[in-house]
Amino acid sequence: MSLQTLNKIQEALASRPAELEKARAEGKKVAGWLNYNVPEELIYAAGLIPVHLGNGGDNRLVETGGRYISMMNCVFTRQITGQFAEGTDAYIKNTDAVFIDVTCKQLYRVYELINYYFKLKTEIIGVPYNFQTAAGKQYFRKETAAFAAKLEKISGKKITAESLKYAVDVYTAIRAAIRALYRIQAGQETPITWHEVYDVVQAAYYLDKDVYLRLLQELLAEIETAPVNPKVSPDAPRILVSGSVIPPGDRKVLDLAEESGGRVVIDDLWSGFAPYLDTDVKETSVEGIADAYIERHPHGSLPVLDIEQDKRLKDIKQLIKDYKADGVLFHTLRYCDCFTFKAAETKSVLKELNIPFLEIHTEYAKSDIEAIRTRLEAFVESLKSRRKIASGFIGAGI
Amino acid sequence: MSVQTLIKTEAINRFYYPEEIKEDFLKTPGLHFTDGSYVDSAQIWDFMTVEGPRRFPYAYNKERNNQSRMSRDVRFFSGIKYGYLNLTLRDRLIKAHENGIPIVHVEGGQTVDPYFAAGAIPIVPGPLRAMARDAKEGLDIKDANRRAMKIMEDGRQAISIECCNNPIGSIEAIHQSAVPVDMVAPYLCLRCTDYSYILEAYRTKLKNTMLHFVDFPVTRDGEWTVTYMAELIRDLVKKLGGLRGASVREEDLWKEIKRENRGRRLARETMEAIWNAEEIPVTGSDIFSIITSGRFDRGDSLACLEYLEQAHEEVIQRVKNGVRAAGIPEKPVRILTVGSCFGFWFDFAEEKGAVLVGTDDHLSKIYADVGEEGDPYEEIAKTILAYDYELPTEQRAQYIIDLVKKTRADGVICGYNWGCNYQSAVSRMIADIVKKESGVPTINLQVAELGFLDGNEQTQNRVEAFIEMLS
Ligand code: SF4
Ligand code: SF4
């Protein structure tokens, strides 16, 4: 039986576009955003409604977008461009301004395209690629301050100390709740699956943040007394998913992983757990928010030349340990160079730790489903055999 | 094909500098190099007619897709000197490396003033890959091409087939120790998808090479952006100096900035004279050499400057005398190419009745002077951030429209190389804007492997049809 709160979240999502329309009719403005490092708290503190844009999994939209961008850009950027071209997406229709941070520069190009072809009010926030240097951090502080000023101009309201504190508190509480949910779903026996949690995380793309936080707290309370979900097999090999974005609408590889008998228990996807893993606003100020974003689990688009300084890789290793993952599924989209080019090294680093690794390189088209299924089944089987060999390994959750 | 026929074909396809030009060539000046050495025109002649053909036969093959071949316009003497700079690059860099001069691999789209100023030699992908290929001498065109391809394919096998040929070919060459590179330190220009991620993918493989990069912040207009960039350049220069155990003074930077500004100025004056001339006075391959020398990519900024001085003088003289370069068709269709790392098939275009008048990528470098007053780091930062090629796409399209007017182009080919995702993303947008606002026809091409010898038929057919349409 499905958890009641999950149904409530679905209902809230269903009525959200109409709510946004109403809010806009009443003079409120919606700030749509794309990429990874848009400090959402500031949108909220400025009295705007934040909506995280961008879907996946629809090859028709990919083709539409490909007419503007090119067939040699990742399917996600192609689909977003297609969504803007069509203009029928409920959230895009209800967006007054679009903000894109320059973490992945293919998305920066999307910003240029939607500005030119679809005449949308679009702004960018620079993200330093030398992000670990003092100069890079300072640059991001300045960019964040400029972003805050643009928000104030759009909303016609100042970001006050109170509104900022309120926003930071709400977002901090949301992050804490998501972390708690992730811990629960990863238990050997659990009332909620990772897949369900992943959907909950992506509900945050759209829902009002107060409503969302309340629903998260309700969900956590309901889970405390909920029965174990019998569909979650405690014996299934535990998988960490990493790599390119898996946005709302795209469940191709995730479904196949589960159909093949694997159990995803953790991810570091930027459309999933990554923004919740360790974002920590230590000081309630614009600078404090900038620092929290630039110091958190980094997006794969930000290159790091010294492996010892690679926090992303360190975090993956830690997550494998904490979540007792048996293997890593590395999902890469074609033409997503920042993740694709990391695959070989990640594989060899994990090999040294005796962690099996499988890269699935794909797009949204369905033509490779059977080939992926075969590879995933073989991978899951190999994880099972390893488990048998290392008998007595399975721990009691985390 | 029998061995006899093969030898005959090779001989027919071979290119020679005719003896009758020797006397006039020897009257021209030689080239000075930054290490204090000098080669006179007799030494250049000997190298280009004896040593060059023996060591690098591929460069003397007349195959029309051979982008490494010498300019067919043998009476354009500066072209011979450029060929000399090209074919001696490997020898000169090995010598410099042995003398403790750091060799630093950089991207194509950047001002190299800080590298030379710091006493290092910056080397961009094209020449670096050529150096790796030239590590084995005596190769003819097919074998030379095969060798370059093999290095690139080794890299792609290790990282991904989606890697652009330029960075993967270069970094794998460094990995295979085919070139003596001490440091890889590019700016991550907006043009380039692959450098950062390929470099990152090799971070544990390149054990003896220092790795570094300088960000290219996309928000160019903020005061803090200049501060950020200037700080990164300062740090880069410190690191480059550190390779030699020396600290770099501001006056070293000013000296180099002034030299390179002079070179950039000469390159654009020369190009503008070519574009404005009644007859096209030099071939497409010499046009390309002039433009690329304006970004000092043959390992020595002084020698590049002297080449530019000589090329400028020759071009002005030819324009005055109404000379049309050898092989240039009468009233050619003028094509401007647009896109990253575009080096097209000059001879092919000329055979089909067109001439390539430039490419927006390379031309942006000769239109980017560095301010000569104030803080040199900030001035370099401002120049980098103002590069026409790196501008937001709508502004870049305006720069291209301006180039269409300057070059008197009849058509624009927008293209993107395999793996060049930031360029592919906006290629159509540029083609649309330029066509709409300048009225000049444009096409948008995906080029599977720029600069390759084989497998180009499809692209060439489209280019040919485009030229025919414009004729
Ligand atoms: S990070 Fe990769 S998947 Fe995400 S938008 Fe960029 S290229 Fe596409
Ligand atoms: S073609 Fe594009 S990806 Fe390749 S080196 Fe040039 S700029 Fe970089």
Side-chain angles (χ1 to χ4, degrees):
Chain A
M1 201 182 71
S2 169
L3 293 155
Q4 290 299 317
T5 321
L6 295 183
N7 295 338
K8 279 196 193 169
I9 291 174
Q10 286 313 313
E11 283 160 18
L13 283 172
S15 57
R16 187 60 174 155
E19 258 174 45
L20 290 178
E21 234 164 82
K22 188 162 168 273
R24 290 177 75 224
E26 288 164 1
K28 276 225 156 204
K29 291 214 170 86
V30 174
W33 69 272
L34 276 164
N35 232 340
Y36 182 68
N37 280 313
V38 172
E40 241 199 38
E41 288 91 331
L42 292 174
I43 301 179
Y44 199 60
L48 296 164
I49 303 173
V51 170
H52 190 166
L53 300 172
N55 294 69
D58 185 336
N59 226 33
R60 190 185 54 79
L61 285 167
V62 168
E63 272 174 36
T64 309
R67 284 181 223 140
Y68 298 89
I69 188 163
S70 94
M71 298 310 279
M72 243 172 60
N73 291 91
C74 89
V75 273
F76 179 58
T77 57
R78 276 185 266 161
Q79 175 156 343
I80 290 172
T81 310
Q83 282 182 286
F84 278 102
E86 273 201 355
T88 52
D89 176 86
Y91 293 102
I92 287 178
K93 262 198 327 202
N94 279 306
T95 293
D96 294 292
V98 183
F99 290 90
I100 302 181
D101 64 271
V102 192
T103 301
C104 167
K105 288 182 183 165
Q106 290 203 43
L107 278 167
Y108 168 76
R109 291 307 201 193
V110 170
Y111 146 79
E112 297 196 310
L113 292 168
I114 61 181
N115 238 342
Y116 175 70
Y117 285 111
F118 317 124
K119 310 290 175 225
L120 262 151
K121 181 164 178 48
T122 317
E123 300 275 3
I124 52 165
I125 306 158
V127 176
Y129 272 34
N130 289 102
F131 68 104
Q132 292 174 323
T133 63
K137 284 182 183 157
Q138 183 60 13
Y139 167 75
F140 192 62
R141 281 180 165 206
K142 297 279 189 190
E143 283 294 310
T144 308
F147 168 59
K150 282 176 195 161
L151 293 170
E152 288 179 335
K153 212 166 151 203
I154 293 171
S155 75
K157 278 190 203 149
K158 281 263 160 234
I159 297 175
T160 62
E162 293 75 46
S163 70
L164 196 60
K165 181 169 183 330
Y166 186 76
V168 168
D169 287 349
V170 168
Y171 277 80
T172 304
I174 287 174
R175 288 182 190 120
I178 299 279
R179 283 195 288 269
L181 271 178
Y182 259 81
R183 275 195 301 274
I184 293 164
Q185 63 76 31
Q188 203 181 353
E189 293 186 320
T190 168
I192 189 165
T193 67
W194 172 85
H195 213 124
E196 286 167 331
V197 170
Y198 196 67
D199 288 342
V200 169
V201 165
Q202 294 191 338
Y205 275 43
Y206 312 112
L207 295 184
D208 173 84
K209 295 303 166 249
D210 289 295
V211 172
Y212 183 63
L213 177 58
R214 210 186 55 235
L215 286 166
L216 286 177
Q217 285 162 347
E218 257 183 54
L219 182 60
L220 284 167
E222 187 187 356
I223 282 171
E224 266 184 32
T225 55
V228 164
N229 184 333
K231 282 193 210 145
V232 180
S233 159
D235 301 328
R238 299 165 69 89
I239 294 173
L240 177 145
V241 182
S242 184
S244 307
V245 65
I246 304 186
D250 174 22
R251 292 293 182 265
K252 179 171 135 179
V253 171
L254 299 178
D255 286 347
L256 286 170
E258 289 179 352
E259 284 164 26
S260 305
R263 177 182 166 198
V264 179
V265 287
I266 184 64
D267 67 88
D268 83 324
L269 299 167
W270 54 285
S271 46
F273 193 48
Y276 301 97
L277 175 61
D278 60 355
T279 311
D280 181 16
V281 180
K282 294 194 185 83
E283 185 199 300
T284 308
S285 65
V286 172
E287 286 81 11
I289 291 172
D291 292 351
Y293 273 72
I294 213 66
E295 284 165 9
R296 68 181 175 171
H297 182 71
H299 188 286
S301 286
L302 305 181
V304 178
L305 297 183
D306 177 0
I307 195 167
E308 297 304 322
Q309 302 299 321
D310 190 338
K311 177 164 161 37
R312 196 190 56 85
L313 205 49
K314 265 189 211 154
D315 287 346
I316 290 178
K317 288 192 234 167
Q318 193 59 46
L319 288 172
I320 291 171
K321 225 170 163 186
D322 292 347
Y323 285 77
K324 297 185 167 44
D326 298 310
V328 169
L329 167 57
F330 203 68
H331 162 263
T332 55
L333 290 176
R334 281 193 81 191
Y335 310 122
C336 171
D337 296 347
C338 66
F339 284 106
T340 303
F341 296 0
K342 287 178 179 51
E345 185 199 73
T346 310
K347 184 178 181 173
S348 75
V349 166
L350 295 180
K351 196 173 173 196
E352 277 171 29
L353 302 174
N354 202 20
I355 303 288
F357 174 97
L358 176 72
E359 183 194 3
I360 297 290
H361 193 51
T362 186
E363 296 198 298
Y364 297 155
K366 305 274 184 275
S367 51
D368 58 357
I369 279 191
E370 289 314 314
I372 296 176
R373 189 193 305 281
T374 308
R375 293 186 64 213
L376 273 164
E377 281 172 357
F379 182 61
V380 170
E381 276 315 307
S382 76
L383 296 181
K384 280 183 187 162
S385 324
R386 283 168 55 96
R387 275 194 157 198
K388 272 188 204 143
I389 294 165
S391 55
F393 160 75
I394 307 165
I398 56 167
Chain B
M1 203 186 279
S2 72
V3 176
Q4 285 307 318
T5 330
L6 196 68
I7 293 169
K8 218 166 136 195
T9 319
E10 295 255 309
I12 292 166
N13 275 341
R14 201 162 295 294
F15 166 89
Y16 298 98
Y17 287 109
E19 269 301 304
E20 60 262 31
I21 64 169
K22 181 175 177 182
E23 201 184 323
D24 287 341
F25 182 79
L26 295 189
K27 288 180 199 153
T28 65
L31 295 168
H32 289 91
F33 293 84
T34 32
D35 65 358
S37 61
Y38 175 75
V39 282
D40 61 24
S41 50
Q43 287 167 296
I44 294 175
W45 178 264
D46 286 348
F47 185 92
M48 294 304 283
T49 55
V50 182
E51 198 173 335
R54 179 175 49 79
R55 293 175 63 194
F56 311 109
Y58 69 84
Y60 294 79
N61 189 302
K62 286 197 283 191
E63 153 74 49
R64 73 176 185 193
N65 287 347
N66 178 9
Q67 289 198 348
S68 306
R69 60 157 287 180
M70 302 300 151
S71 166
R72 65 175 113 174
D73 185 0
V74 294
R75 286 215 153 259
F76 185 65
F77 292 156
S78 323
I80 302 179
K81 288 168 198 170
Y82 184 81
Y84 175 82
L85 288 177
N86 229 350
L87 294 185
T88 56
L89 181 67
R90 185 176 170 83
D91 292 352
R92 288 186 286 114
L93 261 63
I94 286 175
K95 188 173 142 208
H97 180 71
E98 282 166 1
N99 290 336
I101 308 288
I103 312 297
V104 182
H105 180 40
V106 298
E107 266 185 42
Q110 56 182 93
T111 145
V112 289
D113 311 38
Y115 299 83
F116 279 123
I121 299 179
I123 184 93
V124 298
L128 183 131
R129 293 177 66 197
M131 274 173 65
R133 176 196 58 199
D134 290 355
K136 190 159 167 42
E137 297 183 2
L139 302 181
D140 207 332
I141 183 77
K142 295 274 179 206
D143 289 333
N145 189 57
R146 222 168 279 138
R147 179 171 157 79
M149 290 275 283
K150 165 88 174 70
I151 296 173
M152 185 194 69
E153 290 306 339
D154 287 348
R156 280 195 175 149
Q157 218 146 57
I159 309 300
S160 160
I161 53 154
E162 284 165 23
C163 294
C164 162
N165 58 68
N166 257 342
I168 196 70
S170 304
I171 297 179
E172 177 60 26
I174 299 169
H175 178 229
Q176 294 186 10
S177 305
V179 277
V181 169
D182 302 283
M183 184 177 183
V184 186
Y187 308 162
L188 303 184
C189 320
L190 177 58
R191 75 189 60 206
C192 188
T193 324
D194 282 18
Y195 253 96
S196 48
Y197 304 124
I198 292 181
L199 203 51
E200 186 185 45
Y202 274 83
R203 63 188 173 181
T204 54
K205 293 171 189 268
L206 295 178
K207 299 219 166 20
N208 303 318
T209 316
M210 196 171 158
L211 305 184
H212 183 68
F213 67 77
V214 172
D215 191 6
F216 179 85
V218 170
T219 50
R220 308 158 184 82
D221 38 3
E223 197 190 302
W224 59 85
T225 312
V226 175
T227 313
Y228 170 44
M229 191 87 210
E231 202 47 55
L232 297 179
I233 301 290
R234 210 180 291 276
D235 179 50
L236 168 76
V237 169
K238 217 182 269 170
K239 286 197 165 75
L240 291 169
L243 288 173
R244 297 185 293 129
S247 60
V248 183
R249 298 160 309 169
E250 285 201 358
E251 59 202 85
D252 300 323
L253 279 156
W254 287 129
K255 192 173 155 217
E256 188 60 30
I257 287 169
K258 284 179 184 150
R259 173 185 288 167
E260 296 196 19
N261 275 347
R262 181 166 156 64
R264 287 184 274 258
R265 222 161 18 236
L266 274 167
R268 28 181 214 267
E269 279 170 20
T270 311
M271 286 314 302
E272 283 165 13
I274 294 168
W275 296 329
N276 292 329
E278 281 290 303
E279 296 282 2
I280 299 278
V282 288
T283 60
S285 87
D286 285 316
I287 286 179
F288 194 75
S289 309
I290 292 164
I291 300 172
T292 55
S293 294
R295 61 177 180 142
F296 310 96
D297 66 354
R298 301 293 134 167
D300 195 294
S301 59
L302 178 60
C304 277
L305 178 66
E306 292 196 353
Y307 156 77
L308 284 167
E309 282 165 346
Q310 295 179 31
H312 180 258
E313 214 177 297
E314 271 191 277
V315 165
I316 298 298
Q317 205 52 43
R318 281 184 166 202
V319 171
K320 214 187 270 171
N321 299 334
V323 174
R324 184 181 347 132
I328 294 285
E330 203 180 330
K331 300 219 178 317
V333 169
R334 291 162 169 251
I335 301 282
L336 177 71
T337 56
V338 165
S340 298
C341 309
F342 241 38
F344 240 59
W345 310 278
F346 319 105
D347 290 1
F348 169 81
E350 284 159 24
E351 208 178 272
K352 301 292 170 194
V355 63
L356 299 168
V357 288
T359 164
D360 72 332
D361 170 3
H362 299 314
L363 283 168
S364 72
K365 296 154 208 164
I366 64 172
Y367 280 94
D369 283 354
V370 179
E372 295 186 10
E373 271 168 25
D375 176 277
Y377 298 98
E378 278 190 11
E379 292 310 311
I380 292 169
K382 280 185 209 156
T383 299
I384 296 166
L385 293 166
Y387 252 46
D388 289 312
Y389 191 87
E390 307 291 344
L391 291 174
T393 302
E394 284 192 64
Q395 287 177 41
R396 180 178 151 209
Q398 293 307 319
Y399 151 68
I400 296 163
I401 291 166
D402 192 42
L403 282 181
V404 167
K405 286 185 203 139
K406 274 200 181 111
T407 59
R408 300 193 283 144
D410 301 302
V412 175
I413 298 178
C414 298
Y416 49 94
N417 206 357
W418 168 254
C420 189
N421 314 105
Y422 300 156
Q423 173 60 23
S424 67
V426 289
S427 195
R428 177 195 152 177
M429 179 172 155
I430 292 170
D432 284 354
I433 299 175
V434 172
K435 189 169 164 186
K436 190 169 147 211
E437 294 188 25
S438 73
V440 163
T442 58
I443 50 165
N444 187 23
L445 287 180
Q446 186 203 303
V447 185
E449 301 292 4
L450 263 180
F452 280 12
L453 202 56
D454 304 312
N456 298 311
E457 294 77 11
Q458 223 186 340
T459 316
Q460 287 187 341
N461 287 345
R462 289 197 63 195
V463 171
E464 190 175 347
F466 187 62
I467 294 171
E468 263 170 32
M469 194 261 287
L470 296 170
S471 305

